[in-house]
Amino acid sequence: MSTALARPAVSTDELKQAWLAVQAGQFRNGPRRCGNSPGGSRSGPEGVWEPTEPILPVVGCHGGAGATTLAVAVASGPGTARVIECASATASGLAAAATAELGDSNGWSRGSRDQVLLERATATVTRPEDLPLPTMPTRPMGLSVLDLSCELGQLLAGSTWLAEHVRNAPTIIAVTSATVPGLRRLEGIAALLQGVVVVAGVVGPRRSRWSRGLTATAGPRTRELDRRGHLVDIPTDAALAARGLDSQPLPPALLSAAATLRRLARADIDEKDLPS
């Protein structure tokens, strides 16, 4: 009797991922080293992520700024898109956002809402190096939105796949609150991202209703964003703020602001030059 181990069955999902990887040319130069871990590929200095779709980072200037909610709103525009939440499973803002759960794959839990694919880490992530490489989607994506909640200075000092894509992003969306600390954090983020086009969403009252003290807090980089039309008001929605991001439809005012930010970020190229 043969002692050879039985070969495990290959799922349809795995076959689709393999075929998309072949179409993307990922096997033309031999195997790529991405590190190994029980939960999937790790990033680290040798980790490489080469998506075929455009990448748009959304950076929260401070905790609770609303980066995850805005990332979902930005991805909810026309065409196919996904949100990759770059945070620990214990701090996920996407846990209740999906209308359908699609299971786990390579360290990521996947769900969907309309045409948007949602991906969140399944393990505790204490540093950017712990974040697995994103999965290969089973269908072509017009855009991948990176939801960033880590400290940006620490991230940019590293050599992970995430740091590489943030450094090389032509445009980044920053989101902050219409408060004195929020505007100070936006000014600091804009300083860190010199050389990158930044468009910013400010959650709270419209600028015409800001107090003198709040207006005076805006630094030179924030004022330049305003002068260029890159500072977008995001009205506060009391119901959304109370219940948090869930599977219910997002408020129209938020979707409108997200569409403006997406257009300013020049990310409105859904379905362009994608494989048929």
Side-chain angles (χ1 to χ4, degrees), residues 6-44:
R7 179 177 298 175
V10 179
S11 67
T12 303
D13 182 68
E14 289 173 321
L15 289 173
K16 287 181 180 179
Q17 292 188 34
W19 174 238
L20 287 172
V22 170
Q23 288 182 311
Q26 293 186 6
F27 303 113
R28 290 175 184 160
N29 298 319
R32 286 159 38 194
R33 295 180 296 172
C34 296
N36 297 313
S37 72
S41 298
R42 293 283 181 179
S43 53

PDB file of all heavy atoms in Angstrom, residues 6-44:
ATOM      1  N   ALA A   6      -2.223  12.039   0.558  1.00  0.00           N
ATOM      2  CA  ALA A   6      -3.200  12.486  -0.434  1.00  0.00           C
ATOM      3  C   ALA A   6      -3.065  13.973  -0.662  1.00  0.00           C
ATOM      4  O   ALA A   6      -2.857  14.749   0.269  1.00  0.00           O
ATOM      5  CB  ALA A   6      -4.608  12.166   0.068  1.00  0.00           C
ATOM      6  N   ARG A   7      -3.164  14.401  -1.930  1.00  0.00           N
ATOM      7  CA  ARG A   7      -3.063  15.818  -2.263  1.00  0.00           C
ATOM      8  C   ARG A   7      -4.379  16.500  -1.934  1.00  0.00           C
ATOM      9  O   ARG A   7      -5.442  16.046  -2.352  1.00  0.00           O
ATOM     10  CB  ARG A   7      -2.753  15.975  -3.752  1.00  0.00           C
ATOM     11  CG  ARG A   7      -2.644  17.424  -4.205  1.00  0.00           C
ATOM     12  CD  ARG A   7      -2.262  17.544  -5.658  1.00  0.00           C
ATOM     13  NE  ARG A   7      -0.953  16.952  -5.894  1.00  0.00           N
ATOM     14  CZ  ARG A   7      -0.408  16.840  -7.109  1.00  0.00           C
ATOM     15  NH1 ARG A   7      -1.075  17.254  -8.165  1.00  0.00           N
ATOM     16  NH2 ARG A   7       0.769  16.289  -7.246  1.00  0.00           N
ATOM     17  N   PRO A   8      -4.356  17.605  -1.170  1.00  0.00           N
ATOM     18  CA  PRO A   8      -5.606  18.279  -0.800  1.00  0.00           C
ATOM     19  C   PRO A   8      -6.299  18.863  -2.022  1.00  0.00           C
ATOM     20  O   PRO A   8      -5.653  19.261  -2.991  1.00  0.00           O
ATOM     21  CB  PRO A   8      -5.144  19.385   0.162  1.00  0.00           C
ATOM     22  CG  PRO A   8      -3.716  19.625  -0.185  1.00  0.00           C
ATOM     23  CD  PRO A   8      -3.161  18.285  -0.616  1.00  0.00           C
ATOM     24  N   ALA A   9      -7.605  18.890  -1.984  1.00  0.00           N
ATOM     25  CA  ALA A   9      -8.378  19.436  -3.095  1.00  0.00           C
ATOM     26  C   ALA A   9      -8.139  20.934  -3.212  1.00  0.00           C
ATOM     27  O   ALA A   9      -7.928  21.632  -2.225  1.00  0.00           O
ATOM     28  CB  ALA A   9      -9.859  19.154  -2.882  1.00  0.00           C
ATOM     29  N   VAL A  10      -8.151  21.447  -4.436  1.00  0.00           N
ATOM     30  CA  VAL A  10      -7.963  22.865  -4.704  1.00  0.00           C
ATOM     31  C   VAL A  10      -9.332  23.494  -4.916  1.00  0.00           C
ATOM     32  O   VAL A  10     -10.121  23.013  -5.732  1.00  0.00           O
ATOM     33  CB  VAL A  10      -7.079  23.087  -5.945  1.00  0.00           C
ATOM     34  CG1 VAL A  10      -6.923  24.588  -6.216  1.00  0.00           C
ATOM     35  CG2 VAL A  10      -5.717  22.445  -5.742  1.00  0.00           C
ATOM     36  N   SER A  11      -9.617  24.568  -4.185  1.00  0.00           N
ATOM     37  CA  SER A  11     -10.928  25.197  -4.280  1.00  0.00           C
ATOM     38  C   SER A  11     -11.029  26.056  -5.536  1.00  0.00           C
ATOM     39  O   SER A  11     -10.020  26.459  -6.135  1.00  0.00           O
ATOM     40  CB  SER A  11     -11.186  26.074  -3.049  1.00  0.00           C
ATOM     41  OG  SER A  11     -10.307  27.181  -3.049  1.00  0.00           O
ATOM     42  N   THR A  12     -12.261  26.361  -5.932  1.00  0.00           N
ATOM     43  CA  THR A  12     -12.483  27.258  -7.068  1.00  0.00           C
ATOM     44  C   THR A  12     -11.901  28.631  -6.807  1.00  0.00           C
ATOM     45  O   THR A  12     -11.332  29.269  -7.701  1.00  0.00           O
ATOM     46  CB  THR A  12     -13.997  27.378  -7.340  1.00  0.00           C
ATOM     47  OG1 THR A  12     -14.529  26.079  -7.573  1.00  0.00           O
ATOM     48  CG2 THR A  12     -14.264  28.256  -8.557  1.00  0.00           C
ATOM     49  N   ASP A  13     -12.003  29.103  -5.559  1.00  0.00           N
ATOM     50  CA  ASP A  13     -11.449  30.398  -5.205  1.00  0.00           C
ATOM     51  C   ASP A  13      -9.937  30.434  -5.410  1.00  0.00           C
ATOM     52  O   ASP A  13      -9.377  31.407  -5.927  1.00  0.00           O
ATOM     53  CB  ASP A  13     -11.784  30.719  -3.750  1.00  0.00           C
ATOM     54  CG  ASP A  13     -11.275  32.076  -3.324  1.00  0.00           C
ATOM     55  OD1 ASP A  13     -11.803  33.079  -3.821  1.00  0.00           O
ATOM     56  OD2 ASP A  13     -10.353  32.127  -2.483  1.00  0.00           O
ATOM     57  N   GLU A  14      -9.248  29.350  -5.027  1.00  0.00           N
ATOM     58  CA  GLU A  14      -7.795  29.286  -5.201  1.00  0.00           C
ATOM     59  C   GLU A  14      -7.415  29.263  -6.682  1.00  0.00           C
ATOM     60  O   GLU A  14      -6.435  29.871  -7.104  1.00  0.00           O
ATOM     61  CB  GLU A  14      -7.240  28.050  -4.496  1.00  0.00           C
ATOM     62  CG  GLU A  14      -7.275  28.153  -2.968  1.00  0.00           C
ATOM     63  CD  GLU A  14      -6.881  26.852  -2.301  1.00  0.00           C
ATOM     64  OE1 GLU A  14      -7.284  25.792  -2.821  1.00  0.00           O
ATOM     65  OE2 GLU A  14      -6.190  26.893  -1.287  1.00  0.00           O
ATOM     66  N   LEU A  15      -8.209  28.549  -7.488  1.00  0.00           N
ATOM     67  CA  LEU A  15      -7.938  28.509  -8.926  1.00  0.00           C
ATOM     68  C   LEU A  15      -8.091  29.890  -9.557  1.00  0.00           C
ATOM     69  O   LEU A  15      -7.292  30.292 -10.410  1.00  0.00           O
ATOM     70  CB  LEU A  15      -8.884  27.505  -9.605  1.00  0.00           C
ATOM     71  CG  LEU A  15      -8.613  26.027  -9.313  1.00  0.00           C
ATOM     72  CD1 LEU A  15      -9.722  25.171  -9.910  1.00  0.00           C
ATOM     73  CD2 LEU A  15      -7.255  25.601  -9.873  1.00  0.00           C
ATOM     74  N   LYS A  16      -9.123  30.642  -9.138  1.00  0.00           N
ATOM     75  CA  LYS A  16      -9.319  31.986  -9.652  1.00  0.00           C
ATOM     76  C   LYS A  16      -8.154  32.887  -9.279  1.00  0.00           C
ATOM     77  O   LYS A  16      -7.661  33.664 -10.099  1.00  0.00           O
ATOM     78  CB  LYS A  16     -10.625  32.563  -9.105  1.00  0.00           C
ATOM     79  CG  LYS A  16     -11.883  31.960  -9.707  1.00  0.00           C
ATOM     80  CD  LYS A  16     -13.124  32.618  -9.105  1.00  0.00           C
ATOM     81  CE  LYS A  16     -14.399  32.031  -9.696  1.00  0.00           C
ATOM     82  NZ  LYS A  16     -15.609  32.647  -9.088  1.00  0.00           N
ATOM     83  N   GLN A  17      -7.697  32.774  -8.020  1.00  0.00           N
ATOM     84  CA  GLN A  17      -6.571  33.596  -7.585  1.00  0.00           C
ATOM     85  C   GLN A  17      -5.308  33.263  -8.368  1.00  0.00           C
ATOM     86  O   GLN A  17      -4.545  34.149  -8.753  1.00  0.00           O
ATOM     87  CB  GLN A  17      -6.334  33.399  -6.083  1.00  0.00           C
ATOM     88  CG  GLN A  17      -7.453  33.962  -5.215  1.00  0.00           C
ATOM     89  CD  GLN A  17      -7.091  33.921  -3.741  1.00  0.00           C
ATOM     90  OE1 GLN A  17      -5.930  34.079  -3.374  1.00  0.00           O
ATOM     91  NE2 GLN A  17      -8.077  33.699  -2.897  1.00  0.00           N
ATOM     92  N   ALA A  18      -5.086  31.970  -8.626  1.00  0.00           N
ATOM     93  CA  ALA A  18      -3.909  31.559  -9.387  1.00  0.00           C
ATOM     94  C   ALA A  18      -3.969  32.090 -10.808  1.00  0.00           C
ATOM     95  O   ALA A  18      -2.962  32.560 -11.356  1.00  0.00           O
ATOM     96  CB  ALA A  18      -3.800  30.034  -9.382  1.00  0.00           C
ATOM     97  N   TRP A  19      -5.157  32.037 -11.433  1.00  0.00           N
ATOM     98  CA  TRP A  19      -5.280  32.503 -12.811  1.00  0.00           C
ATOM     99  C   TRP A  19      -5.062  34.009 -12.903  1.00  0.00           C
ATOM    100  O   TRP A  19      -4.377  34.501 -13.801  1.00  0.00           O
ATOM    101  CB  TRP A  19      -6.643  32.130 -13.370  1.00  0.00           C
ATOM    102  CG  TRP A  19      -6.908  32.701 -14.745  1.00  0.00           C
ATOM    103  CD1 TRP A  19      -7.921  33.510 -15.094  1.00  0.00           C
ATOM    104  CD2 TRP A  19      -6.121  32.511 -15.932  1.00  0.00           C
ATOM    105  NE1 TRP A  19      -7.834  33.838 -16.417  1.00  0.00           N
ATOM    106  CE2 TRP A  19      -6.735  33.241 -16.966  1.00  0.00           C
ATOM    107  CE3 TRP A  19      -4.966  31.796 -16.214  1.00  0.00           C
ATOM    108  CZ2 TRP A  19      -6.240  33.277 -18.257  1.00  0.00           C
ATOM    109  CZ3 TRP A  19      -4.461  31.832 -17.508  1.00  0.00           C
ATOM    110  CH2 TRP A  19      -5.091  32.551 -18.514  1.00  0.00           C
ATOM    111  N   LEU A  20      -5.607  34.776 -11.944  1.00  0.00           N
ATOM    112  CA  LEU A  20      -5.376  36.213 -11.930  1.00  0.00           C
ATOM    113  C   LEU A  20      -3.903  36.537 -11.711  1.00  0.00           C
ATOM    114  O   LEU A  20      -3.369  37.489 -12.277  1.00  0.00           O
ATOM    115  CB  LEU A  20      -6.232  36.868 -10.846  1.00  0.00           C
ATOM    116  CG  LEU A  20      -7.729  36.966 -11.152  1.00  0.00           C
ATOM    117  CD1 LEU A  20      -8.492  37.441  -9.918  1.00  0.00           C
ATOM    118  CD2 LEU A  20      -7.988  37.906 -12.315  1.00  0.00           C
ATOM    119  N   ALA A  21      -3.231  35.737 -10.891  1.00  0.00           N
ATOM    120  CA  ALA A  21      -1.796  35.947 -10.668  1.00  0.00           C
ATOM    121  C   ALA A  21      -1.000  35.698 -11.945  1.00  0.00           C
ATOM    122  O   ALA A  21      -0.049  36.422 -12.260  1.00  0.00           O
ATOM    123  CB  ALA A  21      -1.310  35.023  -9.550  1.00  0.00           C
ATOM    124  N   VAL A  22      -1.393  34.666 -12.707  1.00  0.00           N
ATOM    125  CA  VAL A  22      -0.722  34.391 -13.985  1.00  0.00           C
ATOM    126  C   VAL A  22      -0.932  35.544 -14.949  1.00  0.00           C
ATOM    127  O   VAL A  22      -0.008  36.011 -15.622  1.00  0.00           O
ATOM    128  CB  VAL A  22      -1.247  33.071 -14.591  1.00  0.00           C
ATOM    129  CG1 VAL A  22      -0.751  32.907 -16.014  1.00  0.00           C
ATOM    130  CG2 VAL A  22      -0.791  31.892 -13.748  1.00  0.00           C
ATOM    131  N   GLN A  23      -2.184  36.066 -15.035  1.00  0.00           N
ATOM    132  CA  GLN A  23      -2.465  37.182 -15.915  1.00  0.00           C
ATOM    133  C   GLN A  23      -1.665  38.423 -15.534  1.00  0.00           C
ATOM    134  O   GLN A  23      -1.277  39.216 -16.391  1.00  0.00           O
ATOM    135  CB  GLN A  23      -3.957  37.512 -15.870  1.00  0.00           C
ATOM    136  CG  GLN A  23      -4.829  36.470 -16.574  1.00  0.00           C
ATOM    137  CD  GLN A  23      -6.290  36.863 -16.546  1.00  0.00           C
ATOM    138  OE1 GLN A  23      -6.819  37.215 -15.486  1.00  0.00           O
ATOM    139  NE2 GLN A  23      -6.943  36.815 -17.686  1.00  0.00           N
ATOM    140  N   ALA A  24      -1.405  38.591 -14.229  1.00  0.00           N
ATOM    141  CA  ALA A  24      -0.639  39.746 -13.752  1.00  0.00           C
ATOM    142  C   ALA A  24       0.857  39.558 -13.946  1.00  0.00           C
ATOM    143  O   ALA A  24       1.635  40.465 -13.667  1.00  0.00           O
ATOM    144  CB  ALA A  24      -0.931  40.002 -12.278  1.00  0.00           C
ATOM    145  N   GLY A  25       1.299  38.387 -14.413  1.00  0.00           N
ATOM    146  CA  GLY A  25       2.712  38.135 -14.670  1.00  0.00           C
ATOM    147  C   GLY A  25       3.544  37.888 -13.449  1.00  0.00           C
ATOM    148  O   GLY A  25       4.752  38.090 -13.447  1.00  0.00           O
ATOM    149  N   GLN A  26       2.916  37.427 -12.357  1.00  0.00           N
ATOM    150  CA  GLN A  26       3.661  37.272 -11.109  1.00  0.00           C
ATOM    151  C   GLN A  26       4.601  36.075 -11.121  1.00  0.00           C
ATOM    152  O   GLN A  26       5.421  35.937 -10.223  1.00  0.00           O
ATOM    153  CB  GLN A  26       2.675  37.137  -9.946  1.00  0.00           C
ATOM    154  CG  GLN A  26       1.888  38.405  -9.691  1.00  0.00           C
ATOM    155  CD  GLN A  26       1.028  38.299  -8.453  1.00  0.00           C
ATOM    156  OE1 GLN A  26       1.108  37.317  -7.720  1.00  0.00           O
ATOM    157  NE2 GLN A  26       0.201  39.295  -8.210  1.00  0.00           N
ATOM    158  N   PHE A  27       4.506  35.192 -12.097  1.00  0.00           N
ATOM    159  CA  PHE A  27       5.352  33.998 -12.113  1.00  0.00           C
ATOM    160  C   PHE A  27       6.385  34.037 -13.232  1.00  0.00           C
ATOM    161  O   PHE A  27       7.024  33.057 -13.526  1.00  0.00           O
ATOM    162  CB  PHE A  27       4.476  32.747 -12.260  1.00  0.00           C
ATOM    163  CG  PHE A  27       3.452  32.622 -11.180  1.00  0.00           C
ATOM    164  CD1 PHE A  27       2.109  32.736 -11.458  1.00  0.00           C
ATOM    165  CD2 PHE A  27       3.834  32.418  -9.867  1.00  0.00           C
ATOM    166  CE1 PHE A  27       1.158  32.631 -10.454  1.00  0.00           C
ATOM    167  CE2 PHE A  27       2.886  32.312  -8.853  1.00  0.00           C
ATOM    168  CZ  PHE A  27       1.548  32.428  -9.154  1.00  0.00           C
ATOM    169  N   ARG A  28       6.543  35.185 -13.895  1.00  0.00           N
ATOM    170  CA  ARG A  28       7.453  35.258 -15.026  1.00  0.00           C
ATOM    171  C   ARG A  28       8.905  35.299 -14.603  1.00  0.00           C
ATOM    172  O   ARG A  28       9.788  34.921 -15.340  1.00  0.00           O
ATOM    173  CB  ARG A  28       7.130  36.510 -15.853  1.00  0.00           C
ATOM    174  CG  ARG A  28       5.800  36.378 -16.589  1.00  0.00           C
ATOM    175  CD  ARG A  28       5.432  37.651 -17.293  1.00  0.00           C
ATOM    176  NE  ARG A  28       4.120  37.551 -17.915  1.00  0.00           N
ATOM    177  CZ  ARG A  28       3.371  38.586 -18.263  1.00  0.00           C
ATOM    178  NH1 ARG A  28       3.808  39.802 -18.036  1.00  0.00           N
ATOM    179  NH2 ARG A  28       2.201  38.412 -18.821  1.00  0.00           N
ATOM    180  N   ASN A  29       9.184  35.791 -13.411  1.00  0.00           N
ATOM    181  CA  ASN A  29      10.569  35.939 -12.957  1.00  0.00           C
ATOM    182  C   ASN A  29      10.908  35.008 -11.818  1.00  0.00           C
ATOM    183  O   ASN A  29      11.762  35.275 -11.012  1.00  0.00           O
ATOM    184  CB  ASN A  29      10.822  37.389 -12.526  1.00  0.00           C
ATOM    185  CG  ASN A  29      10.636  38.361 -13.671  1.00  0.00           C
ATOM    186  OD1 ASN A  29      11.057  38.076 -14.782  1.00  0.00           O
ATOM    187  ND2 ASN A  29      10.000  39.488 -13.400  1.00  0.00           N
ATOM    188  N   GLY A  30      10.200  33.871 -11.743  1.00  0.00           N
ATOM    189  CA  GLY A  30      10.485  32.924 -10.683  1.00  0.00           C
ATOM    190  C   GLY A  30       9.749  33.277  -9.421  1.00  0.00           C
ATOM    191  O   GLY A  30       9.063  34.290  -9.328  1.00  0.00           O
ATOM    192  N   PRO A  31       9.859  32.456  -8.389  1.00  0.00           N
ATOM    193  CA  PRO A  31       9.125  32.696  -7.152  1.00  0.00           C
ATOM    194  C   PRO A  31       9.612  33.929  -6.442  1.00  0.00           C
ATOM    195  O   PRO A  31      10.790  34.272  -6.487  1.00  0.00           O
ATOM    196  CB  PRO A  31       9.400  31.427  -6.326  1.00  0.00           C
ATOM    197  CG  PRO A  31      10.687  30.892  -6.865  1.00  0.00           C
ATOM    198  CD  PRO A  31      10.691  31.231  -8.326  1.00  0.00           C
ATOM    199  N   ARG A  32       8.689  34.624  -5.761  1.00  0.00           N
ATOM    200  CA  ARG A  32       9.022  35.795  -4.978  1.00  0.00           C
ATOM    201  C   ARG A  32       9.021  35.425  -3.512  1.00  0.00           C
ATOM    202  O   ARG A  32       8.149  34.731  -3.038  1.00  0.00           O
ATOM    203  CB  ARG A  32       7.983  36.903  -5.229  1.00  0.00           C
ATOM    204  CG  ARG A  32       8.139  37.550  -6.557  1.00  0.00           C
ATOM    205  CD  ARG A  32       6.878  38.238  -7.005  1.00  0.00           C
ATOM    206  NE  ARG A  32       6.175  38.880  -5.903  1.00  0.00           N
ATOM    207  CZ  ARG A  32       4.934  39.292  -6.027  1.00  0.00           C
ATOM    208  NH1 ARG A  32       4.268  39.100  -7.131  1.00  0.00           N
ATOM    209  NH2 ARG A  32       4.326  39.891  -5.018  1.00  0.00           N
ATOM    210  N   ARG A  33       9.985  35.926  -2.795  1.00  0.00           N
ATOM    211  CA  ARG A  33      10.079  35.629  -1.375  1.00  0.00           C
ATOM    212  C   ARG A  33       9.235  36.630  -0.605  1.00  0.00           C
ATOM    213  O   ARG A  33       9.453  37.826  -0.671  1.00  0.00           O
ATOM    214  CB  ARG A  33      11.538  35.704  -0.910  1.00  0.00           C
ATOM    215  CG  ARG A  33      12.436  34.656  -1.544  1.00  0.00           C
ATOM    216  CD  ARG A  33      13.845  34.807  -1.037  1.00  0.00           C
ATOM    217  NE  ARG A  33      14.405  36.081  -1.448  1.00  0.00           N
ATOM    218  CZ  ARG A  33      15.569  36.546  -1.006  1.00  0.00           C
ATOM    219  NH1 ARG A  33      16.270  35.847  -0.141  1.00  0.00           N
ATOM    220  NH2 ARG A  33      16.026  37.711  -1.413  1.00  0.00           N
ATOM    221  N   CYS A  34       8.282  36.106   0.130  1.00  0.00           N
ATOM    222  CA  CYS A  34       7.398  36.983   0.897  1.00  0.00           C
ATOM    223  C   CYS A  34       7.385  36.619   2.366  1.00  0.00           C
ATOM    224  O   CYS A  34       6.583  37.133   3.117  1.00  0.00           O
ATOM    225  CB  CYS A  34       5.965  36.895   0.335  1.00  0.00           C
ATOM    226  SG  CYS A  34       5.825  37.506  -1.353  1.00  0.00           S
ATOM    227  N   GLY A  35       8.225  35.708   2.781  1.00  0.00           N
ATOM    228  CA  GLY A  35       8.211  35.292   4.171  1.00  0.00           C
ATOM    229  C   GLY A  35       7.089  34.321   4.423  1.00  0.00           C
ATOM    230  O   GLY A  35       6.137  34.228   3.666  1.00  0.00           O
ATOM    231  N   ASN A  36       7.185  33.541   5.485  1.00  0.00           N
ATOM    232  CA  ASN A  36       6.168  32.554   5.804  1.00  0.00           C
ATOM    233  C   ASN A  36       5.671  32.734   7.213  1.00  0.00           C
ATOM    234  O   ASN A  36       6.413  33.097   8.115  1.00  0.00           O
ATOM    235  CB  ASN A  36       6.745  31.128   5.662  1.00  0.00           C
ATOM    236  CG  ASN A  36       7.164  30.829   4.236  1.00  0.00           C
ATOM    237  OD1 ASN A  36       6.408  31.091   3.316  1.00  0.00           O
ATOM    238  ND2 ASN A  36       8.362  30.311   4.071  1.00  0.00           N
ATOM    239  N   SER A  37       4.397  32.472   7.405  1.00  0.00           N
ATOM    240  CA  SER A  37       3.800  32.511   8.731  1.00  0.00           C
ATOM    241  C   SER A  37       2.546  31.684   8.691  1.00  0.00           C
ATOM    242  O   SER A  37       1.965  31.466   7.640  1.00  0.00           O
ATOM    243  CB  SER A  37       3.479  33.955   9.129  1.00  0.00           C
ATOM    244  OG  SER A  37       2.384  34.434   8.377  1.00  0.00           O
ATOM    245  N   PRO A  38       2.059  31.198   9.824  1.00  0.00           N
ATOM    246  CA  PRO A  38       0.854  30.393   9.834  1.00  0.00           C
ATOM    247  C   PRO A  38      -0.351  31.125   9.271  1.00  0.00           C
ATOM    248  O   PRO A  38      -1.235  30.521   8.699  1.00  0.00           O
ATOM    249  CB  PRO A  38       0.651  30.078  11.327  1.00  0.00           C
ATOM    250  CG  PRO A  38       2.002  30.224  11.938  1.00  0.00           C
ATOM    251  CD  PRO A  38       2.678  31.296  11.163  1.00  0.00           C
ATOM    252  N   GLY A  39      -0.425  32.450   9.418  1.00  0.00           N
ATOM    253  CA  GLY A  39      -1.590  33.190   8.959  1.00  0.00           C
ATOM    254  C   GLY A  39      -1.485  33.681   7.546  1.00  0.00           C
ATOM    255  O   GLY A  39      -2.358  34.367   7.064  1.00  0.00           O
ATOM    256  N   GLY A  40      -0.408  33.413   6.825  1.00  0.00           N
ATOM    257  CA  GLY A  40      -0.247  33.897   5.458  1.00  0.00           C
ATOM    258  C   GLY A  40       1.066  34.629   5.324  1.00  0.00           C
ATOM    259  O   GLY A  40       1.883  34.675   6.225  1.00  0.00           O
ATOM    260  N   SER A  41       1.305  35.234   4.175  1.00  0.00           N
ATOM    261  CA  SER A  41       2.551  35.921   3.905  1.00  0.00           C
ATOM    262  C   SER A  41       2.693  37.146   4.784  1.00  0.00           C
ATOM    263  O   SER A  41       1.761  37.928   4.939  1.00  0.00           O
ATOM    264  CB  SER A  41       2.613  36.324   2.428  1.00  0.00           C
ATOM    265  OG  SER A  41       2.576  35.186   1.612  1.00  0.00           O
ATOM    266  N   ARG A  42       3.873  37.326   5.347  1.00  0.00           N
ATOM    267  CA  ARG A  42       4.168  38.521   6.118  1.00  0.00           C
ATOM    268  C   ARG A  42       4.802  39.544   5.189  1.00  0.00           C
ATOM    269  O   ARG A  42       5.299  39.225   4.124  1.00  0.00           O
ATOM    270  CB  ARG A  42       5.125  38.195   7.264  1.00  0.00           C
ATOM    271  CG  ARG A  42       4.484  37.295   8.319  1.00  0.00           C
ATOM    272  CD  ARG A  42       3.549  38.078   9.211  1.00  0.00           C
ATOM    273  NE  ARG A  42       2.954  37.232  10.224  1.00  0.00           N
ATOM    274  CZ  ARG A  42       2.111  37.671  11.133  1.00  0.00           C
ATOM    275  NH1 ARG A  42       1.745  38.920  11.141  1.00  0.00           N
ATOM    276  NH2 ARG A  42       1.609  36.852  12.033  1.00  0.00           N
ATOM    277  N   SER A  43       4.823  40.806   5.650  1.00  0.00           N
ATOM    278  CA  SER A  43       5.429  41.835   4.828  1.00  0.00           C
ATOM    279  C   SER A  43       6.945  41.788   5.000  1.00  0.00           C
ATOM    280  O   SER A  43       7.609  41.009   4.360  1.00  0.00           O
ATOM    281  CB  SER A  43       4.851  43.200   5.173  1.00  0.00           C
ATOM    282  OG  SER A  43       4.932  43.453   6.553  1.00  0.00           O
ATOM    283  N   GLY A  44       7.507  42.602   5.912  1.00  0.00           N
ATOM    284  CA  GLY A  44       8.946  42.582   6.135  1.00  0.00           C
ATOM    285  C   GLY A  44       9.690  43.136   4.932  1.00  0.00           C
ATOM    286  O   GLY A  44       9.125  43.447   3.897  1.00  0.00           O
TER     287      GLY A  44
END
